[in-house]
Amino acid sequence: MPQRAAILRHVAPFDAASDSEREGLERGALVGMFSRGQVLWREGDPPTAFTVIQSGLVKIVRSLSSGRESIVGIFGPRESIGDVAVIRNSPYPASAVVCSDAATIVSVPMGAFLSWSRNSTRAASRVAELLASRLHTMHCKVEILSAGSVESRMATLLLDLAERFGDESASGAVILPIALSRQELASLVSTSFETAIRVMSRWQKCGALDTGKDGFVIHDPALLRQAATSVLGVKGRR
C-alpha cells in the first residue's frame, strides 16, 4: 500500500484526490511486475483499469498493414497510459509493451476510477487537464515527425526524452537511461533502420553522444538543439 500511495499522490489526476478518496482508490489498486517485451494490453482490447507506470518504460505501438509496428510514444515513471480509452470507455487504439528490462505498473480498477472522477469536481477538472496534456503529447509527436530532415527529427526526439527522463551530470552531459534499439529509434521518427544507424554513427563520431546497453549519454546538447532546428542537421560538421 505505501508504494501505491506514493506513486498515486504524484500522478494526475490522483493528485487532486483527498486523502480519504485516494485511500479508497488505493484499496482496490493492483501492482504488477513486468519484464521487457511483455504486453500490458493489445490494440482493440477493452480497458479495465487506469494504468500508471511506477518504474520502467512502456512503448505504445500500432500494427501496420506491412506487418511492422509503429511506435506512437514512450512513457515512463509517474506517467499514465491508456487513459483516454478508459475515460471514453472505448477499445485501446494501440498496444502497450514494456521496453525496459523491468517495469512496475499500478492499475486502478476502471469502475472505481470513473466513479470517483465523475463525482468529484476537482477530479473532473484534473481529468480535463490530463486530456489537454495528452493533446500536447500528440502535438510533440507531430513536431518530431515534421521537424524536417531525419537528423532534425531524431534530435527533436532525443531532446524530448532528455527533458522528460534525463539527468544532468557534473560535466554538463545528459544521461538518458532509456535503452532503445536502432529499429525503435527509426520507428519513432519514421525512417529506415539503415538511416537511423547512419545518423547515430555520425553523432557518436563527432562526440555528440554515446550509446550503451543502458541508454544514451548526450555530451553536446547544444549540437542536438542545433540539429533539431536545422534542415541540414549535423551534415557538414566534423
Side-chain angles (χ1 to χ4, degrees):
M1 183 69 71
Q3 280 190 323
R4 281 177 248 183
I7 188 65
L8 293 184
R9 187 174 291 115
H10 300 289
V11 174
F14 303 110
D15 52 1
S18 65
D19 289 343
S20 60
E21 289 172 335
R22 192 178 300 111
E23 287 174 5
L25 292 165
E26 290 161 0
R27 202 170 296 122
L30 298 175
V31 177
M33 307 290 291
F34 298 85
S35 57
R36 183 184 296 275
Q38 281 194 273
V39 178
L40 304 184
W41 62 74
R42 296 188 184 280
E43 184 178 335
D45 285 349
T48 59
F50 189 97
T51 304
V52 174
I53 303 171
Q54 180 167 331
S55 64
L57 298 168
V58 175
K59 62 181 179 180
I60 306 300
V61 299
R62 294 200 68 175
S63 300
L64 302 177
S65 58
S66 63
R68 298 177 64 182
E69 68 177 28
S70 174
I71 301 178
V72 178
I74 293 179
F75 297 86
R78 297 188 178 183
E79 293 185 327
S80 59
I81 52 175
D83 35 34
V84 175
V86 171
I87 293 167
R88 296 183 59 194
N89 192 16
S90 60
Y92 290 115
S95 303
V97 183
V98 175
C99 61
S100 54
D101 289 339
T104 303
I105 304 297
V106 179
S107 301
V108 177
M110 179 174 163
F113 168 77
L114 291 178
S115 177
W116 166 70
S117 63
R118 291 169 179 171
N119 291 285
S120 167
T121 302
R122 287 184 303 169
S125 176
R126 284 300 277 141
V127 167
E129 292 176 9
L130 179 64
L131 292 175
S133 174
R134 286 292 168 262
L135 182 60
H136 173 71
T137 300
M138 290 177 61
H139 286 168
C140 288
K141 176 69 173 178
V142 171
E143 182 178 346
I144 289 171
L145 293 177
S146 61
S149 66
V150 173
E151 289 92 340
S152 296
R153 300 201 301 271
M154 196 166 292
T156 301
L157 168 67
L158 291 173
L159 290 171
D160 174 63
L161 294 175
E163 182 178 352
R164 293 163 59 199
F165 306 120
D167 293 309
E168 187 171 347
S169 67
S171 66
V174 178
I175 300 171
L176 185 55
I178 298 180
L180 294 173
S181 69
R182 296 297 186 265
Q183 185 58 63
E184 288 172 322
L185 284 170
S187 177
L188 281 164
V189 298
S190 295
T191 191
S192 67
F193 172 76
E194 294 77 13
T195 302
I197 289 179
R198 286 197 296 271
V199 172
M200 296 298 287
S201 296
R202 282 201 295 271
W203 282 341
Q204 286 184 275
K205 287 179 181 178
C206 70
L209 61 79
D210 286 323
T211 62
K213 65 181 183 66
D214 297 322
F216 306 92
V217 179
I218 303 174
H219 296 290
D220 192 348
L223 187 148
L224 291 190
R225 285 192 290 271
Q226 179 181 337
T229 57
S230 171
V231 175
L232 295 178
V234 297
K235 290 180 181 178
R237 291 186 64 105
R238 295 291 184 268

PDB file of all heavy atoms in Angstrom, residues 157-187:
ATOM      1  N   LEU A 157      13.507  14.212 -31.050  1.00  0.00           N
ATOM      2  CA  LEU A 157      13.088  13.086 -30.222  1.00  0.00           C
ATOM      3  C   LEU A 157      13.985  12.940 -28.992  1.00  0.00           C
ATOM      4  O   LEU A 157      13.500  12.840 -27.855  1.00  0.00           O
ATOM      5  CB  LEU A 157      13.123  11.798 -31.039  1.00  0.00           C
ATOM      6  CG  LEU A 157      12.980  10.496 -30.241  1.00  0.00           C
ATOM      7  CD1 LEU A 157      11.591  10.386 -29.627  1.00  0.00           C
ATOM      8  CD2 LEU A 157      13.298   9.289 -31.111  1.00  0.00           C
ATOM      9  N   LEU A 158      15.303  12.916 -29.197  1.00  0.00           N
ATOM     10  CA  LEU A 158      16.235  12.724 -28.080  1.00  0.00           C
ATOM     11  C   LEU A 158      16.142  13.869 -27.077  1.00  0.00           C
ATOM     12  O   LEU A 158      16.225  13.648 -25.861  1.00  0.00           O
ATOM     13  CB  LEU A 158      17.662  12.580 -28.607  1.00  0.00           C
ATOM     14  CG  LEU A 158      17.946  11.281 -29.376  1.00  0.00           C
ATOM     15  CD1 LEU A 158      19.345  11.329 -29.993  1.00  0.00           C
ATOM     16  CD2 LEU A 158      17.817  10.071 -28.465  1.00  0.00           C
ATOM     17  N   LEU A 159      15.956  15.100 -27.560  1.00  0.00           N
ATOM     18  CA  LEU A 159      15.824  16.237 -26.651  1.00  0.00           C
ATOM     19  C   LEU A 159      14.540  16.146 -25.838  1.00  0.00           C
ATOM     20  O   LEU A 159      14.517  16.491 -24.652  1.00  0.00           O
ATOM     21  CB  LEU A 159      15.869  17.547 -27.441  1.00  0.00           C
ATOM     22  CG  LEU A 159      17.230  17.908 -28.059  1.00  0.00           C
ATOM     23  CD1 LEU A 159      17.085  19.094 -28.999  1.00  0.00           C
ATOM     24  CD2 LEU A 159      18.255  18.207 -26.967  1.00  0.00           C
ATOM     25  N   ASP A 160      13.467  15.669 -26.474  1.00  0.00           N
ATOM     26  CA  ASP A 160      12.199  15.487 -25.754  1.00  0.00           C
ATOM     27  C   ASP A 160      12.351  14.432 -24.664  1.00  0.00           C
ATOM     28  O   ASP A 160      11.919  14.638 -23.513  1.00  0.00           O
ATOM     29  CB  ASP A 160      11.100  15.082 -26.737  1.00  0.00           C
ATOM     30  CG  ASP A 160       9.799  14.725 -26.042  1.00  0.00           C
ATOM     31  OD1 ASP A 160       9.219  15.618 -25.396  1.00  0.00           O
ATOM     32  OD2 ASP A 160       9.350  13.563 -26.133  1.00  0.00           O
ATOM     33  N   LEU A 161      12.985  13.302 -24.980  1.00  0.00           N
ATOM     34  CA  LEU A 161      13.196  12.249 -23.991  1.00  0.00           C
ATOM     35  C   LEU A 161      14.127  12.721 -22.880  1.00  0.00           C
ATOM     36  O   LEU A 161      13.931  12.378 -21.705  1.00  0.00           O
ATOM     37  CB  LEU A 161      13.771  10.998 -24.671  1.00  0.00           C
ATOM     38  CG  LEU A 161      12.855  10.282 -25.664  1.00  0.00           C
ATOM     39  CD1 LEU A 161      13.605   9.141 -26.347  1.00  0.00           C
ATOM     40  CD2 LEU A 161      11.601   9.748 -24.965  1.00  0.00           C
ATOM     41  N   ALA A 162      15.140  13.519 -23.251  1.00  0.00           N
ATOM     42  CA  ALA A 162      16.081  14.029 -22.248  1.00  0.00           C
ATOM     43  C   ALA A 162      15.379  14.963 -21.273  1.00  0.00           C
ATOM     44  O   ALA A 162      15.650  14.941 -20.064  1.00  0.00           O
ATOM     45  CB  ALA A 162      17.233  14.750 -22.941  1.00  0.00           C
ATOM     46  N   GLU A 163      14.462  15.785 -21.798  1.00  0.00           N
ATOM     47  CA  GLU A 163      13.729  16.703 -20.930  1.00  0.00           C
ATOM     48  C   GLU A 163      12.828  15.952 -19.952  1.00  0.00           C
ATOM     49  O   GLU A 163      12.681  16.337 -18.793  1.00  0.00           O
ATOM     50  CB  GLU A 163      12.882  17.653 -21.774  1.00  0.00           C
ATOM     51  CG  GLU A 163      12.114  18.686 -20.947  1.00  0.00           C
ATOM     52  CD  GLU A 163      11.326  19.643 -21.804  1.00  0.00           C
ATOM     53  OE1 GLU A 163      11.469  19.620 -23.047  1.00  0.00           O
ATOM     54  OE2 GLU A 163      10.533  20.425 -21.242  1.00  0.00           O
ATOM     55  N   ARG A 164      12.255  14.843 -20.398  1.00  0.00           N
ATOM     56  CA  ARG A 164      11.328  14.078 -19.560  1.00  0.00           C
ATOM     57  C   ARG A 164      12.036  13.117 -18.609  1.00  0.00           C
ATOM     58  O   ARG A 164      11.595  12.944 -17.473  1.00  0.00           O
ATOM     59  CB  ARG A 164      10.360  13.296 -20.453  1.00  0.00           C
ATOM     60  CG  ARG A 164       9.405  14.180 -21.232  1.00  0.00           C
ATOM     61  CD  ARG A 164       8.753  13.439 -22.382  1.00  0.00           C
ATOM     62  NE  ARG A 164       7.990  12.277 -21.944  1.00  0.00           N
ATOM     63  CZ  ARG A 164       7.643  11.279 -22.747  1.00  0.00           C
ATOM     64  NH1 ARG A 164       8.000  11.291 -24.025  1.00  0.00           N
ATOM     65  NH2 ARG A 164       6.941  10.267 -22.276  1.00  0.00           N
ATOM     66  N   PHE A 165      13.117  12.483 -19.069  1.00  0.00           N
ATOM     67  CA  PHE A 165      13.704  11.396 -18.284  1.00  0.00           C
ATOM     68  C   PHE A 165      15.193  11.565 -17.981  1.00  0.00           C
ATOM     69  O   PHE A 165      15.766  10.757 -17.257  1.00  0.00           O
ATOM     70  CB  PHE A 165      13.523  10.058 -19.028  1.00  0.00           C
ATOM     71  CG  PHE A 165      12.105   9.760 -19.414  1.00  0.00           C
ATOM     72  CD1 PHE A 165      11.757   9.581 -20.747  1.00  0.00           C
ATOM     73  CD2 PHE A 165      11.115   9.657 -18.458  1.00  0.00           C
ATOM     74  CE1 PHE A 165      10.450   9.294 -21.112  1.00  0.00           C
ATOM     75  CE2 PHE A 165       9.807   9.379 -18.809  1.00  0.00           C
ATOM     76  CZ  PHE A 165       9.471   9.200 -20.141  1.00  0.00           C
ATOM     77  N   GLY A 166      15.836  12.594 -18.563  1.00  0.00           N
ATOM     78  CA  GLY A 166      17.289  12.719 -18.429  1.00  0.00           C
ATOM     79  C   GLY A 166      17.748  13.303 -17.106  1.00  0.00           C
ATOM     80  O   GLY A 166      17.014  13.995 -16.411  1.00  0.00           O
ATOM     81  N   ASP A 167      19.004  13.022 -16.752  1.00  0.00           N
ATOM     82  CA  ASP A 167      19.670  13.582 -15.574  1.00  0.00           C
ATOM     83  C   ASP A 167      20.979  14.229 -16.017  1.00  0.00           C
ATOM     84  O   ASP A 167      21.764  13.611 -16.745  1.00  0.00           O
ATOM     85  CB  ASP A 167      19.970  12.500 -14.535  1.00  0.00           C
ATOM     86  CG  ASP A 167      18.706  11.931 -13.911  1.00  0.00           C
ATOM     87  OD1 ASP A 167      17.870  12.726 -13.457  1.00  0.00           O
ATOM     88  OD2 ASP A 167      18.564  10.688 -13.884  1.00  0.00           O
ATOM     89  N   GLU A 168      21.207  15.460 -15.579  1.00  0.00           N
ATOM     90  CA  GLU A 168      22.434  16.170 -15.970  1.00  0.00           C
ATOM     91  C   GLU A 168      23.575  15.792 -15.043  1.00  0.00           C
ATOM     92  O   GLU A 168      23.435  15.790 -13.819  1.00  0.00           O
ATOM     93  CB  GLU A 168      22.210  17.677 -15.935  1.00  0.00           C
ATOM     94  CG  GLU A 168      23.393  18.461 -16.495  1.00  0.00           C
ATOM     95  CD  GLU A 168      23.083  19.942 -16.658  1.00  0.00           C
ATOM     96  OE1 GLU A 168      21.898  20.309 -16.571  1.00  0.00           O
ATOM     97  OE2 GLU A 168      24.030  20.716 -16.868  1.00  0.00           O
ATOM     98  N   SER A 169      24.728  15.463 -15.635  1.00  0.00           N
ATOM     99  CA  SER A 169      25.907  15.111 -14.855  1.00  0.00           C
ATOM    100  C   SER A 169      26.707  16.367 -14.518  1.00  0.00           C
ATOM    101  O   SER A 169      26.399  17.465 -14.993  1.00  0.00           O
ATOM    102  CB  SER A 169      26.798  14.144 -15.646  1.00  0.00           C
ATOM    103  OG  SER A 169      27.356  14.806 -16.775  1.00  0.00           O
ATOM    104  N   ALA A 170      27.723  16.202 -13.687  1.00  0.00           N
ATOM    105  CA  ALA A 170      28.549  17.339 -13.283  1.00  0.00           C
ATOM    106  C   ALA A 170      29.257  17.973 -14.473  1.00  0.00           C
ATOM    107  O   ALA A 170      29.553  19.169 -14.478  1.00  0.00           O
ATOM    108  CB  ALA A 170      29.577  16.884 -12.246  1.00  0.00           C
ATOM    109  N   SER A 171      29.515  17.194 -15.511  1.00  0.00           N
ATOM    110  CA  SER A 171      30.219  17.703 -16.694  1.00  0.00           C
ATOM    111  C   SER A 171      29.289  18.446 -17.653  1.00  0.00           C
ATOM    112  O   SER A 171      29.740  19.028 -18.635  1.00  0.00           O
ATOM    113  CB  SER A 171      30.888  16.544 -17.435  1.00  0.00           C
ATOM    114  OG  SER A 171      29.902  15.665 -17.969  1.00  0.00           O
ATOM    115  N   GLY A 172      27.984  18.397 -17.383  1.00  0.00           N
ATOM    116  CA  GLY A 172      27.032  19.051 -18.270  1.00  0.00           C
ATOM    117  C   GLY A 172      26.403  18.098 -19.263  1.00  0.00           C
ATOM    118  O   GLY A 172      25.474  18.474 -19.991  1.00  0.00           O
ATOM    119  N   ALA A 173      26.890  16.849 -19.312  1.00  0.00           N
ATOM    120  CA  ALA A 173      26.286  15.848 -20.197  1.00  0.00           C
ATOM    121  C   ALA A 173      24.938  15.425 -19.620  1.00  0.00           C
ATOM    122  O   ALA A 173      24.696  15.522 -18.421  1.00  0.00           O
ATOM    123  CB  ALA A 173      27.207  14.647 -20.333  1.00  0.00           C
ATOM    124  N   VAL A 174      24.056  14.963 -20.489  1.00  0.00           N
ATOM    125  CA  VAL A 174      22.744  14.495 -20.054  1.00  0.00           C
ATOM    126  C   VAL A 174      22.700  12.977 -20.178  1.00  0.00           C
ATOM    127  O   VAL A 174      22.923  12.425 -21.260  1.00  0.00           O
ATOM    128  CB  VAL A 174      21.613  15.125 -20.899  1.00  0.00           C
ATOM    129  CG1 VAL A 174      20.261  14.573 -20.460  1.00  0.00           C
ATOM    130  CG2 VAL A 174      21.641  16.639 -20.774  1.00  0.00           C
ATOM    131  N   ILE A 175      22.440  12.307 -19.060  1.00  0.00           N
ATOM    132  CA  ILE A 175      22.348  10.854 -19.040  1.00  0.00           C
ATOM    133  C   ILE A 175      20.886  10.480 -19.244  1.00  0.00           C
ATOM    134  O   ILE A 175      20.012  10.885 -18.483  1.00  0.00           O
ATOM    135  CB  ILE A 175      22.860  10.289 -17.705  1.00  0.00           C
ATOM    136  CG1 ILE A 175      24.333  10.691 -17.496  1.00  0.00           C
ATOM    137  CG2 ILE A 175      22.703   8.767 -17.665  1.00  0.00           C
ATOM    138  CD1 ILE A 175      24.867  10.359 -16.123  1.00  0.00           C
ATOM    139  N   LEU A 176      20.638   9.734 -20.297  1.00  0.00           N
ATOM    140  CA  LEU A 176      19.278   9.339 -20.669  1.00  0.00           C
ATOM    141  C   LEU A 176      19.158   7.824 -20.519  1.00  0.00           C
ATOM    142  O   LEU A 176      19.578   7.068 -21.395  1.00  0.00           O
ATOM    143  CB  LEU A 176      18.996   9.771 -22.106  1.00  0.00           C
ATOM    144  CG  LEU A 176      17.594   9.558 -22.678  1.00  0.00           C
ATOM    145  CD1 LEU A 176      16.545  10.204 -21.799  1.00  0.00           C
ATOM    146  CD2 LEU A 176      17.526  10.110 -24.099  1.00  0.00           C
ATOM    147  N   PRO A 177      18.604   7.353 -19.391  1.00  0.00           N
ATOM    148  CA  PRO A 177      18.574   5.909 -19.112  1.00  0.00           C
ATOM    149  C   PRO A 177      17.461   5.174 -19.846  1.00  0.00           C
ATOM    150  O   PRO A 177      16.619   4.505 -19.252  1.00  0.00           O
ATOM    151  CB  PRO A 177      18.360   5.873 -17.595  1.00  0.00           C
ATOM    152  CG  PRO A 177      17.527   7.085 -17.329  1.00  0.00           C
ATOM    153  CD  PRO A 177      18.006   8.141 -18.301  1.00  0.00           C
ATOM    154  N   ILE A 178      17.450   5.327 -21.170  1.00  0.00           N
ATOM    155  CA  ILE A 178      16.437   4.666 -21.990  1.00  0.00           C
ATOM    156  C   ILE A 178      17.153   3.876 -23.083  1.00  0.00           C
ATOM    157  O   ILE A 178      17.764   4.461 -23.973  1.00  0.00           O
ATOM    158  CB  ILE A 178      15.479   5.686 -22.631  1.00  0.00           C
ATOM    159  CG1 ILE A 178      14.725   6.457 -21.546  1.00  0.00           C
ATOM    160  CG2 ILE A 178      14.505   4.990 -23.565  1.00  0.00           C
ATOM    161  CD1 ILE A 178      13.765   7.477 -22.090  1.00  0.00           C
ATOM    162  N   ALA A 179      17.113   2.564 -22.980  1.00  0.00           N
ATOM    163  CA  ALA A 179      17.775   1.708 -23.962  1.00  0.00           C
ATOM    164  C   ALA A 179      16.820   1.443 -25.120  1.00  0.00           C
ATOM    165  O   ALA A 179      15.876   0.666 -24.984  1.00  0.00           O
ATOM    166  CB  ALA A 179      18.210   0.406 -23.313  1.00  0.00           C
ATOM    167  N   LEU A 180      17.073   2.109 -26.245  1.00  0.00           N
ATOM    168  CA  LEU A 180      16.250   1.929 -27.438  1.00  0.00           C
ATOM    169  C   LEU A 180      17.108   1.341 -28.547  1.00  0.00           C
ATOM    170  O   LEU A 180      18.239   1.777 -28.766  1.00  0.00           O
ATOM    171  CB  LEU A 180      15.665   3.266 -27.903  1.00  0.00           C
ATOM    172  CG  LEU A 180      14.657   3.943 -26.979  1.00  0.00           C
ATOM    173  CD1 LEU A 180      14.315   5.332 -27.527  1.00  0.00           C
ATOM    174  CD2 LEU A 180      13.393   3.112 -26.855  1.00  0.00           C
ATOM    175  N   SER A 181      16.560   0.372 -29.248  1.00  0.00           N
ATOM    176  CA  SER A 181      17.283  -0.192 -30.387  1.00  0.00           C
ATOM    177  C   SER A 181      17.240   0.791 -31.544  1.00  0.00           C
ATOM    178  O   SER A 181      16.427   1.722 -31.566  1.00  0.00           O
ATOM    179  CB  SER A 181      16.634  -1.518 -30.814  1.00  0.00           C
ATOM    180  OG  SER A 181      15.353  -1.280 -31.384  1.00  0.00           O
ATOM    181  N   ARG A 182      18.120   0.578 -32.528  1.00  0.00           N
ATOM    182  CA  ARG A 182      18.102   1.443 -33.713  1.00  0.00           C
ATOM    183  C   ARG A 182      16.767   1.300 -34.445  1.00  0.00           C
ATOM    184  O   ARG A 182      16.265   2.271 -35.008  1.00  0.00           O
ATOM    185  CB  ARG A 182      19.265   1.081 -34.647  1.00  0.00           C
ATOM    186  CG  ARG A 182      20.645   1.330 -34.029  1.00  0.00           C
ATOM    187  CD  ARG A 182      20.847   2.812 -33.738  1.00  0.00           C
ATOM    188  NE  ARG A 182      22.206   3.087 -33.291  1.00  0.00           N
ATOM    189  CZ  ARG A 182      22.564   3.148 -32.017  1.00  0.00           C
ATOM    190  NH1 ARG A 182      21.669   2.939 -31.058  1.00  0.00           N
ATOM    191  NH2 ARG A 182      23.811   3.423 -31.680  1.00  0.00           N
ATOM    192  N   GLN A 183      16.170   0.116 -34.419  1.00  0.00           N
ATOM    193  CA  GLN A 183      14.875  -0.080 -35.072  1.00  0.00           C
ATOM    194  C   GLN A 183      13.790   0.721 -34.363  1.00  0.00           C
ATOM    195  O   GLN A 183      12.912   1.311 -35.006  1.00  0.00           O
ATOM    196  CB  GLN A 183      14.501  -1.554 -35.086  1.00  0.00           C
ATOM    197  CG  GLN A 183      13.206  -1.854 -35.851  1.00  0.00           C
ATOM    198  CD  GLN A 183      13.270  -1.389 -37.298  1.00  0.00           C
ATOM    199  OE1 GLN A 183      14.090  -1.870 -38.072  1.00  0.00           O
ATOM    200  NE2 GLN A 183      12.415  -0.439 -37.674  1.00  0.00           N
ATOM    201  N   GLU A 184      13.840   0.770 -33.030  1.00  0.00           N
ATOM    202  CA  GLU A 184      12.858   1.550 -32.271  1.00  0.00           C
ATOM    203  C   GLU A 184      13.031   3.039 -32.534  1.00  0.00           C
ATOM    204  O   GLU A 184      12.048   3.771 -32.692  1.00  0.00           O
ATOM    205  CB  GLU A 184      12.974   1.242 -30.781  1.00  0.00           C
ATOM    206  CG  GLU A 184      12.458  -0.141 -30.410  1.00  0.00           C
ATOM    207  CD  GLU A 184      12.734  -0.519 -28.977  1.00  0.00           C
ATOM    208  OE1 GLU A 184      13.831  -0.182 -28.469  1.00  0.00           O
ATOM    209  OE2 GLU A 184      11.876  -1.168 -28.353  1.00  0.00           O
ATOM    210  N   LEU A 185      14.284   3.500 -32.585  1.00  0.00           N
ATOM    211  CA  LEU A 185      14.534   4.899 -32.923  1.00  0.00           C
ATOM    212  C   LEU A 185      14.004   5.223 -34.306  1.00  0.00           C
ATOM    213  O   LEU A 185      13.376   6.268 -34.519  1.00  0.00           O
ATOM    214  CB  LEU A 185      16.035   5.199 -32.859  1.00  0.00           C
ATOM    215  CG  LEU A 185      16.660   5.341 -31.469  1.00  0.00           C
ATOM    216  CD1 LEU A 185      18.182   5.383 -31.590  1.00  0.00           C
ATOM    217  CD2 LEU A 185      16.148   6.594 -30.775  1.00  0.00           C
ATOM    218  N   ALA A 186      14.257   4.320 -35.251  1.00  0.00           N
ATOM    219  CA  ALA A 186      13.789   4.532 -36.621  1.00  0.00           C
ATOM    220  C   ALA A 186      12.273   4.630 -36.670  1.00  0.00           C
ATOM    221  O   ALA A 186      11.704   5.493 -37.351  1.00  0.00           O
ATOM    222  CB  ALA A 186      14.282   3.397 -37.517  1.00  0.00           C
ATOM    223  N   SER A 187      11.595   3.762 -35.922  1.00  0.00           N
ATOM    224  CA  SER A 187      10.135   3.770 -35.900  1.00  0.00           C
ATOM    225  C   SER A 187       9.598   5.066 -35.299  1.00  0.00           C
ATOM    226  O   SER A 187       8.618   5.636 -35.788  1.00  0.00           O
ATOM    227  CB  SER A 187       9.610   2.576 -35.105  1.00  0.00           C
ATOM    228  OG  SER A 187       8.200   2.601 -35.003  1.00  0.00           O
TER     229      SER A 187
END
